[in-house]
Structure formats: structure tokens, C-alpha cells
Amino acid sequence: MNVKYMFSLVAVILLFLLAYIGVEAAGLQVLFGIVIPYAAIIIFIIGVVNRVIGWARSPVPFRIPSTCGQQRSLPWIKSSELDNPFTTPGVVARMFLEVLFFRSLFRNTKTTIAEGPKIYFSIEMWLWLAALAFHWSFLTVIVRHLRLFTEPVPFWIALLEKADGFFQVGVPGIFLSGLVLLAAVFYLFLRRVIIPQVNYVSLSQDFFPLFLIFGIAFTGILMRHFAKIDVTGAKQLAMGLVTFHPTIPQGIGGIFYVHVFFVSVLLAYFPFSKLMHMGGIFMSPTRNLTCNTRAVRHINPWNYPVETHTYDEYEEEFREKMIEAGLPVEKE
Amino acid sequence: MSDPKPNELIEKIDYIPPQKGWMDVPVNIRKGMYCYASNPKSVEYVHLPNARAWNPIEEDWKLPDNWKEIVHTAFRDRLDRFRSFKVFMDICVRCGACADKCHFFIGTGDPKNMPVLRAELLRSVYRNDFTAAGKILGKIAGARELTLDVLKEWWYYFFQCTECRRCSVFCPYGIDTAEITIMAREIFNLLGLNIDWIATPVANCYRTGNHLGIQPHAFKEMIEFFVDDIEEKTGVKVDPSFNKKGADILFVTPSGDVFADPGTYTAMGYLMLFHYLKEQGLNVTWSTYASEGGNFGFFTSHEMMKRLNSKMYAEAKRLGVKWILGGECGHMWRVINQYMDTMNGPADFLEEPVSPITGTKFTNARSTKMVHISEFTADLLYHNKLKLDKSRNDNLIVTYHDSCNPARGMGLFDEPRYVINSVCNHFHDMPRNTIREQTFCCGSGSGLNAGEDMELRLCGGLPRANAVKHVHDKFGVNMLATICAIDRAVLPPLMDYWVPGVGVTGLTEMVANALLMPGEAERTTNLRGEPLSGMEE
């Protein structure tokens, strides 16, 4: 039994019971449907802004990008403007690919050592693929949910929903994004348990968001296909929240509140956790700076004068030896 | 104690981590894997705090009483001054992509050499001291208190990182362990916990201008010895100048190349190249004051890096040169490319570098005003300014080791390859995953090139050596070219250990061997005194 993930699993199960019993037995719909979601949103916004401001307050004293391609030097040598960007458009392109397609992770390899010794590097795409599947499907699910918060529903959300339900399996139709999200989260969990090195470095806080997001996707699918909750009621509650006229419609059931509670917990947890990598990736000085430090001087706001050993002090110590060796000196 | 045999080292490598959680595995400072403690005299010489004699394997490190407070304050201060440090402490998701990218992990299998875990050593204390979650949840949130054992663990593992930045290439957020190691070492220096292989070169460099402590008259004598050697081998008497006011260009290169083979042949190469170009208008001078390209201050603290680096601009200003030319060195070029202008600039007393031979403007160096010898030489070769006999290098089957710092802190990849291909006929790159931005460290960078940590160096150098072995077996490669003085010092024993039969050379040595010097006698040997191709008895 692995203590690290058991702790997080138990925490998520307790959260489930808390919301389910709270609504079904104690009738705390207002708490779980209105108060907690509002509180979570406030914590999320203030927390994230605080965190980003905290990073931004620390200056970037030196320009230290990781140069992953040929520098711009002589005109006849082709430089890599993407991996060693000399100009801002190059940096934007580098960041674009990094943020949207996880380009650095795409480079991933697996190292093995065999008899000889011989070290092999093989392509290892699974983490990159799972990460892409996870983030993109999660984004699709979130955007799709905007239909509950808008009236009338903008055409592009309807369009996305249509594309997502492309396979038209079952009634109501299955959304691809939900299944992909569930599968990707499950894979990310499995690799944390199975790959020995990844397991060794994993903390409880690496499992907690996985279980939580799994819970969110699972309760979502449960509501749509099995518990078949009243969608009109759900939309009423959601619209109430965004228009600041919160209401609690009748008969949307405990699972719905669990779903909302899980999302609230995720939002409130976000600013205090590693999930802040979402903001941090934009702030990483090894990626988001131009690599033109020899052409354009970078300013360090706290650059301060330091104690140095001057030439005069040097000559003072070695003058006689220098003269004897025929080296020029300032003072004979 | 003799070093372990290659098969003994390999047998020890196991990538499967132990059952016990890493926080519960105490550090074991093992002989062969660490460097000796700093000599207090060296620490004192540059006025760094807490100089004292101490020994890493003794229980008592004789720390100042308030060491925890010093660490905490220094940690906070660095979070406030470096966005890199703060962001890197916060955003790691422990995906593990970096785990098997580190040469020390590949070569030792020690899980604490996985970059993610190396950083977690520090991050765990960061969570405990600076985050709400860590303060409330403690160990569950991955937090732990700073204890003496934790400090010792830090020391052991942050002196098992060569700041090569390979992990940062693979990290989806660009988290750079070098940056974290730099901060950790800054903190060690506040406690007087440097290693002597860094502290003494730093003190030497501060006093005499170079890491080896070569005094001005001796520096000149050593170069003059090369002059005699060149005359003996080529029949040409070169005539270098020192500390010359009114020269156009100041040349700065690591002192290691003045001191020990095979770097000395590269130094001879510089002398021959400059002599060759003298007729065409090159007016270059060496300095005894700025006689060090490398910067072990970079492995001490940002401040110490600045203090040592300041000599380059100061000397350029004093001598009134137009710009600075830099020799073949690794971390020297990371410092010049990413730090020098910011720290010690603006160099407004210098001019935008222009090659006096080809007229090429080095616009990429227009602010820092310092050009890499490979850029300079590649430009010369491109414009056919050097008369060469490539076949003189025909006995060499060459591969090229991208040094970490010019690779991942600069992007100098094609200039050196152009130079090699221009001066020799047989060149084969190593496999794609082991060169260019994915190059493997020599295993001895960032001041870890001491003698007492040989086992660590051999383990860390294994991935590099293994890639050389691949081209050695496949193409018969017998020479490893490189543009780093530390490489030239540490790769020969690494090759002898893992790939016997492969030598190590600098680029400019190969250039000089192929160079047809005006007025030269018939050349029968290379600069090493070995028969040239076709001249064997």
C-alpha cells in the first residue's frame, strides 16, 4: 500500500461523502451550491493573482535562456530562431509551441543501459501524448460547460459541443473529451505508481489533483449518462451564479453537488499547489527571453558595485618581477 | 586507494530506487564522490565569511551557531532577487521527464541525482519555511525541516551537479537545475562550505589574474616556452605581445591551456594563428592581469563571478583595445554570453567587433564586444583567408564534443563544426541524443574536476564516453575535439578509462597543424611531436 496516494484517495472520498451527505441528508444545498462555489472562485482569483504578482515582484537579473539551437552569429550560418530566438517574434513562437504543444516534453527520451556497457536512448512519447490529451480534453470540457453559464449559447460553444459529440453514440451522446480526460488522468496516475523513478519522487500533492479531476470527470459522466439529472435545473443554478442572483432549483440531486464541490475544491486548491505551473510556464526565464545578450545589454535592477582586485594593486605586488621579465608597467 | 574497474562501476548502476522514501534515506558522504573542503586561507583571501578548516566526513562541520538563520535569510533573499529561483521552487509537477537526462543519474543510478529530486532537496525546505501548505501539512505536503543532515545532503548533491543544464532542455517549464545549484552553492559560501577545488582557484584568480596562480613573469615565460616549441616544430618564430597598449584586440583564454597538455597545443595554435594573421593586419595582445578566461567565481556566487570577470573589461579599457577575442573555454562563454555585459558593462569604451582580416562585423556581439575564437576562425575560413593542408590531419578521425555551456548557454554548434570540417578530412558526429543541445557533460564541470572525486567524474562522464565509444567502434574515431579547457583536462583520463585509444584536442590545435605558415620549414610532426600523416618512418 502506498501511503502517498492513499492519503489523497481518502481525502477525495471524504470530500465526496461530505458533499453528498451534506446535500442529501442535511439539506445544505445553499452551502454547496452557492456559498462554497463563490468562495472558491474568490480564493482562486485572488490566490492566482497574488502568486503571479509574487513571481513578477522578483526581478530577472540575468538573461539565462536555455539555448536549444544554433545561435545567430555569422550571416552564412543558419540560426535556429525557434530554439535560440534572437528576436521577440521568435520568443513568442517558442512560447506558443511550449504552452500549447509542450514542445520540450516532446523531446523526451528513455535511457536504458545494456551490456557492454551500451547506453540507449529511445523515443518516449507517452508522457507527452498523455499530457496533451489531458490538458486539451480538460480545456474542451471547460469550454463546453460555458453553455451552462451563457444565454443564448454562443454558436462556437454549440459548434465545439457538436464536434466533441461527433461519434453520436448513445442518448444523450457521449462526449469524446470526457472519455479522453478520464483515460489520460488514469494513465497519469498509473505511471506515477508503476514507473519506479516517478513513483519515488511523487508526493501526496501529486496524486490529490489527479483523484480530484478523476472525480470531477467521473461525476460529470455519471450525471449525463446514468443519474440523468435535470439539466435545466443545473443551468438555472449556473446562470444564477454568474448573474449574481443565485437560486437553488429543486431536484438536481446529490451527485450534482458533489461535482460542483469537487470543482470548487480544485479552484480553491489551485493557487497553493503545483497546478500553478499553468501561470509559471509563462514566467520561466529559461524560455521566455530573447537570446541576444551579446547584442543587447540586459539590465539587472539590483546590480551593485563589488570589491575587485584592480590592475594597480596587481602591479604594485608584481612590479619588480614584471620589469625584470620585460613586461610593460604603468609606474617604473 | 585505486579507482574501481569499469565493470565494477557499471555493476553498481541500478535505476530502480530503494523502497524507503528519499527523506528517510540519510546522506552517506562517500570517498571518491566528494571534493575536499576549502582551504581557509583561500576563503579569507577574497573576504568570504566563516573561513575555517573543516572536513566533510567528520561529524562536526564547525558551522557558525546561527547557521539556520543564515540559510533562511539567504534563501528568502534569493527568492526575492531571482525570479528563476522563485518560479522553479513553485511550479515543478514532478513529471519525471528530467530524471534520466542527468549524466550523474545515468552514471550512478543514485535517485538523488535525478534533477527533480536534487531540486526537491531544496524545495522540501522551501515548502516548510515559505509556503502555507507546507507549514500546515508538513511532511504530507512534502515539507521537511532544515537539519544538519539535510544541510549535509544538500552539500553532497549540489556538488554532484555540474550545472550543465541538460535537464532544462527537457523540462516542460524549462526548470534549470543549474540555477538551483547556483543558489545552493551561494548559500554554502555564506557558511564557509565551499570545496577547495573552487575556493583556491578563485583566490588565485583574484590575486594573480588566473586560476592557477601563475604570476606575470611566469606567464610570459610559459608562453615563450611555447614560442620555442613552435620554432622547433615549424621553423617559424612567432612573436606574441603582452600587456601591450595600443593593440587592437585583447585575447583572453583559460589559463589551463598555458599549463597542461593537451591544452598547451591549443595555446600554441593561438600563437601560430595570430602570427599568421599579423601580416594581414591583426594586432592582438595577451594580458597577464586578465590571464584567465574561465571563472570559478561562477561556481561560488554571482558576486564572486562579477568580481573575477571585471578584469576583462578593466584590462581592455586600460590597454585601449577595440574589442576582446575569447579563446576556447566552456563556462567562460556562458559567463560572457549571458552575464558579463549585464554585470560589468556597458563596454562603451570598446568598439563593435570587426575582423581586421575579412571586414566582417560581428553584429551579434555588438554590445558585449567579445567574439569567440570559433566565430572568428570560421569567418576566416569562410573567406579563404587561411592557407591549409588538410591532409596533415589525415591521421585523425575526429568527433566533436559540444561543451555544455557554449551549447546550452549560447548555441555555438555550427561554427566549431565548420572549423573542424575545414581543417580535417575525417569527421563523424556522435549520435543525435548526445550532441548539440542534448550534449552530455564531461562529468567534471562546475569546479568538480579535482582528483579526489575521480569516481564521481568517471560515473558522470560515462554517457559522454559511451557516445564516443559508439563512433570509435563504428568509424574508428581516435580524436575527440572540444572547445573547453576543462574538457581538455578531464576528457583524457575519461577516455583512457572508458574508451582507450581516443585522444583529446582543441580546435585551434588542429587549425595550426593544417596551417601553411609563410617561411615554415618542412613540417614532419604535429605540435605534439608526433609524425604527421605520410611522415611516419
Side-chain angles (χ1 to χ4, degrees):
Chain A
M1 199 55 72
N2 190 320
V3 182
K4 286 184 283 194
Y5 72 75
M6 280 315 290
F7 178 84
S8 298
L9 184 61
V10 169
V12 172
I13 291 170
L14 285 177
L15 291 173
F16 179 96
L17 293 174
L18 193 67
Y20 194 77
I21 296 170
V23 170
E24 292 287 331
L28 295 171
Q29 274 87 342
V30 175
L31 179 66
F32 286 98
I34 298 171
V35 178
I36 290 177
Y38 272 139
I41 287 280
I42 292 168
I43 295 173
F44 175 79
I45 293 171
I46 295 179
V48 168
V49 168
N50 240 333
R51 221 44 201 285
V52 173
I53 289 177
W55 290 332
R57 267 209 197 117
S58 296
V60 179
F62 300 106
R63 197 162 276 240
I64 53 158
S66 308
T67 54
C68 302
Q70 171 62 37
Q71 65 166 350
R72 192 190 279 194
S73 61
L74 298 162
W76 47 273
I77 291 178
K78 196 177 175 305
S79 60
S80 169
E81 294 301 316
L82 204 54
D83 287 315
N84 196 338
F86 195 83
T87 59
T88 305
V91 174
V92 171
R94 186 185 201 187
M95 289 302 290
F96 179 85
L97 290 176
E98 208 61 89
V99 171
L100 296 183
F101 301 106
F102 314 160
R103 192 152 176 272
S104 292
L105 200 55
F106 180 69
R107 294 191 182 102
N108 197 17
T109 53
K110 186 179 160 58
T111 310
T112 41
I113 188 162
E115 280 294 298
K118 208 140 177 58
I119 298 173
Y120 291 97
F121 309 96
S122 45
I123 295 174
E124 163 56 46
M125 300 273 262
W126 294 112
L127 175 60
W128 176 74
L129 276 172
L132 270 187
F134 171 77
H135 286 88
W136 280 104
S137 62
F138 205 173
L139 182 67
T140 309
V141 169
I142 291 167
V143 173
R144 208 158 36 67
H145 274 70
L146 292 180
R147 72 143 41 253
L148 299 172
F149 297 91
T150 48
E151 190 59 51
V153 178
F155 78 95
W156 54 273
I157 294 176
L159 205 69
L160 177 78
E161 194 174 285
K162 210 164 175 187
D164 198 5
F166 177 75
F167 289 105
Q168 301 193 336
V169 182
V171 180
I174 284 176
F175 286 125
L176 203 56
S177 56
L179 290 180
V180 172
L181 178 61
L182 217 52
V185 170
F186 189 62
Y187 172 79
L188 293 175
F189 165 73
L190 271 188
R191 71 182 289 279
R192 261 195 206 284
V193 177
I194 292 171
I195 302 175
Q197 294 101 316
V198 184
N199 184 264
Y200 197 65
V201 302
S202 292
L203 302 170
S204 301
Q205 46 164 312
D206 297 318
F207 290 103
F208 181 68
L210 287 177
F211 289 131
L212 199 59
I213 292 165
F214 190 89
I216 291 169
F218 184 73
T219 50
I221 289 171
L222 203 63
M223 277 188 287
R224 185 170 167 85
H225 298 286
F226 302 98
K228 308 225 170 168
I229 65 140
D230 174 16
V231 183
T232 336
K235 174 137 190 178
Q236 240 180 314
L237 188 141
M239 287 305 294
L241 287 175
V242 285
T243 55
F244 298 107
H245 293 98
T247 55
I248 295 294
Q250 289 306 302
I252 30 179
I255 294 293
F256 173 79
Y257 287 98
V258 171
H259 187 70
V260 171
F261 184 54
F262 276 174
V263 173
S264 303
V265 172
L266 187 68
L267 286 173
Y269 174 74
F270 197 100
F272 309 102
S273 69
K274 68 166 192 176
L275 302 181
M276 278 308 293
H277 68 266
M278 186 180 90
I281 188 170
F282 293 94
M283 312 279 277
S284 181
T286 55
R287 292 288 185 273
N288 69 4
L289 295 167
T290 48
C291 308
N292 60 358
T293 25
R294 269 194 294 157
V296 180
R297 183 168 181 245
H298 177 81
I299 304 293
N300 172 3
W302 51 257
N303 195 19
Y304 56 89
V306 295
E307 187 192 356
T308 59
H309 191 65
T310 63
Y311 176 82
D312 290 340
E313 290 166 320
Y314 168 87
E315 190 184 296
E316 203 56 44
E317 180 176 356
F318 297 113
R319 185 171 296 118
E320 277 170 34
K321 289 172 177 169
M322 290 172 79
I323 294 171
E324 208 172 306
L327 286 165
V329 288
E330 296 277 339
K331 276 190 253 172
E332 291 290 339
Chain B
M1 193 192 79
S2 65
D3 294 319
K5 299 270 172 295
N7 58 328
E8 290 170 6
L9 272 194
I10 304 275
E11 275 163 21
K12 273 198 237 172
I13 303 173
D14 180 8
Y15 293 153
I16 306 297
Q19 284 294 311
K20 230 182 192 182
W22 63 264
M23 284 194 201
D24 302 320
V25 179
V27 64
N28 170 24
I29 298 180
R30 201 157 62 76
K31 212 168 164 51
M33 304 295 278
Y34 74 93
C35 296
Y36 296 150
S38 43
N39 181 338
K41 278 186 193 149
S42 300
V43 177
E44 254 161 25
Y45 191 83
V46 290
H47 309 130
L48 289 183
N50 293 308
R52 67 190 179 281
W54 65 287
N55 186 342
I57 50 171
E58 273 169 22
E59 183 59 33
D60 182 7
W61 279 14
K62 300 171 189 165
L63 292 164
D65 290 336
N66 62 337
W67 70 269
K68 280 187 189 178
E69 193 190 318
I70 294 173
V71 173
H72 185 85
T73 312
F75 211 122
R76 155 111 296 157
D77 176 54
R78 276 148 193 81
L79 290 169
D80 290 342
R81 278 194 297 143
F82 295 89
R83 186 180 301 164
S84 52
F85 191 41
K86 201 169 192 182
V87 170
F88 296 163
M89 283 294 107
D90 280 332
I91 64 171
C92 176
V93 301
R94 289 163 292 280
C95 73
C98 59
D100 57 358
K101 307 304 179 285
C102 173
H103 52 285
F104 282 123
F105 177 68
I106 296 172
T108 64
D110 185 338
K112 284 173 189 168
N113 273 326
M114 292 191 270
V116 47
L117 206 42
R118 198 188 307 283
E120 287 288 311
L121 300 178
L122 220 63
R123 238 179 239 129
S124 52
V125 172
Y126 165 75
R127 286 188 205 106
N128 188 70
D129 287 12
F130 300 102
T131 72
K135 278 178 189 159
I136 298 162
L137 292 170
K139 203 175 170 182
I140 288 164
R144 62 172 177 172
E145 232 178 278
L146 178 63
T147 62
L148 185 59
D149 283 339
V150 169
L151 182 74
K152 288 182 176 182
E153 189 182 41
W154 283 4
W155 187 85
Y156 189 59
Y157 287 104
F158 286 109
F159 282 112
Q160 286 191 17
C161 166
T162 45
E163 305 179 4
C164 84
R165 309 181 98 204
R166 191 168 191 267
C167 48
S168 85
V169 170
F170 294 89
C171 175
Y173 319 119
I175 296 173
D176 179 10
T177 308
E179 206 56 14
I180 295 167
T181 297
I182 288 168
M183 300 306 159
R185 291 190 183 181
E186 284 206 358
I187 292 173
F188 298 152
N189 271 285
L190 297 174
L191 301 174
L193 295 178
N194 207 347
I195 59 173
D196 198 47
W197 201 259
I198 296 174
T200 293
V202 162
N204 283 341
C205 194
Y206 195 68
R207 175 171 172 238
T208 66
N210 57 72
H211 290 152
L212 296 162
I214 307 165
Q215 299 188 7
H217 56 292
F219 189 83
K220 183 166 180 262
E221 274 166 24
M222 288 163 107
I223 302 264
E224 278 165 353
F225 178 78
F226 296 155
V227 171
D228 294 342
D229 226 19
I230 291 167
E231 189 176 12
E232 194 180 302
K233 272 148 195 162
T234 67
V236 177
K237 179 134 180 109
V238 304
D239 183 21
S241 74
F242 300 91
N243 303 356
K244 182 176 130 191
K245 285 192 176 175
D248 294 332
I249 299 168
L250 167 65
F251 179 66
V252 182
T253 201
S255 63
D257 285 344
V258 181
F259 184 70
D261 297 346
T264 46
Y265 308 116
T266 301
M268 288 185 215
Y270 299 139
L271 291 167
M272 288 167 66
L273 182 68
F274 298 156
H275 182 81
Y276 182 96
L277 298 170
K278 208 172 187 177
E279 297 271 291
Q280 297 173 54
L282 187 80
N283 183 2
V284 63
T285 190
W286 297 64
S287 165
T288 60
Y289 170 66
S291 48
E292 181 59 65
N295 191 329
F296 273 37
F298 185 41
F299 311 136
T300 304
S301 66
H302 285 91
E303 183 173 306
M304 190 46 83
M305 160 171 64
K306 181 176 172 177
R307 290 171 69 185
L308 298 186
N309 174 264
S310 67
K311 292 186 186 188
M312 288 192 198
Y313 278 154
E315 185 69 340
K317 193 171 188 176
R318 186 182 75 87
L319 298 177
V321 298
K322 292 178 181 157
W323 53 277
I324 311 172
L325 182 63
E328 300 179 16
C329 179
H331 68 274
M332 156 182 175
W333 272 97
R334 173 139 195 246
V335 172
I336 290 163
N337 192 51
Q338 298 195 325
Y339 295 94
M340 176 158 90
D341 199 7
T342 299
M343 294 185 300
N344 288 318
D348 43 17
F349 47 89
L350 298 175
E351 294 172 16
E352 181 177 323
V354 177
S355 169
I357 318 297
T358 64
T360 299
K361 284 185 180 165
F362 295 96
T363 53
N364 64 321
R366 63 179 175 265
S367 179
T368 301
K369 277 110 175 170
M370 189 149 176
V371 174
H372 193 286
I373 187 83
S374 289
E375 296 168 335
F376 182 73
T377 309
D379 175 65
L380 292 170
L381 291 163
Y382 182 78
H383 289 97
N384 291 317
K385 296 294 180 188
L386 301 180
K387 286 207 180 74
L388 302 164
D389 178 2
K390 264 173 114 166
S391 70
R392 279 187 193 161
N393 282 323
D394 271 354
N395 50 349
L396 304 183
I397 304 169
V398 181
T399 193
Y400 176 65
H401 162 63
D402 289 280
S403 310
C404 314
N405 284 291
R408 289 179 283 260
M410 189 172 177
L412 188 82
F413 299 121
D414 289 330
E415 297 87 342
R417 284 177 173 79
Y418 185 82
V419 173
I420 295 173
N421 279 310
S422 302
V423 300
C424 82
N425 286 313
H426 310 293
F427 173 69
H428 302 278
D429 248 326
M430 285 179 271
R432 184 67 190 93
N433 295 102
T434 69
I435 54 165
R436 300 179 74 94
E437 77 280 1
Q438 297 194 25
T439 188
F440 274 109
C441 181
C442 60
S444 308
S446 84
L448 304 186
N449 50 326
E452 63 269 21
D453 63 337
M454 190 48 97
E455 186 179 336
L456 176 73
R457 290 172 48 191
L458 294 172
C459 289
L462 172 62
R464 170 75 297 150
N466 207 248
V468 176
K469 187 165 190 309
H470 178 80
V471 285
H472 173 70
D473 294 345
K474 196 170 170 187
F475 304 110
V477 161
N478 58 14
M479 189 54 83
L480 177 59
T482 175
I483 48 165
C484 168
I486 290 180
D487 281 334
R488 282 188 285 274
V490 306
L491 287 174
L494 189 76
M495 291 301 113
D496 290 346
Y497 189 80
W498 294 111
V499 206
V502 177
V504 177
T505 181
L507 249 57
T508 311
E509 178 188 344
M510 289 199 296
V511 172
N513 276 329
L515 198 61
L516 294 164
M517 303 279 285
E520 69 180 16
E522 193 196 11
R523 307 249 300 254
T524 55
T525 70
N526 62 20
L527 292 174
R528 301 184 184 201
E530 301 157 353
L532 285 170
S533 189
M535 294 292 175
E536 298 90 349
E537 292 298 322

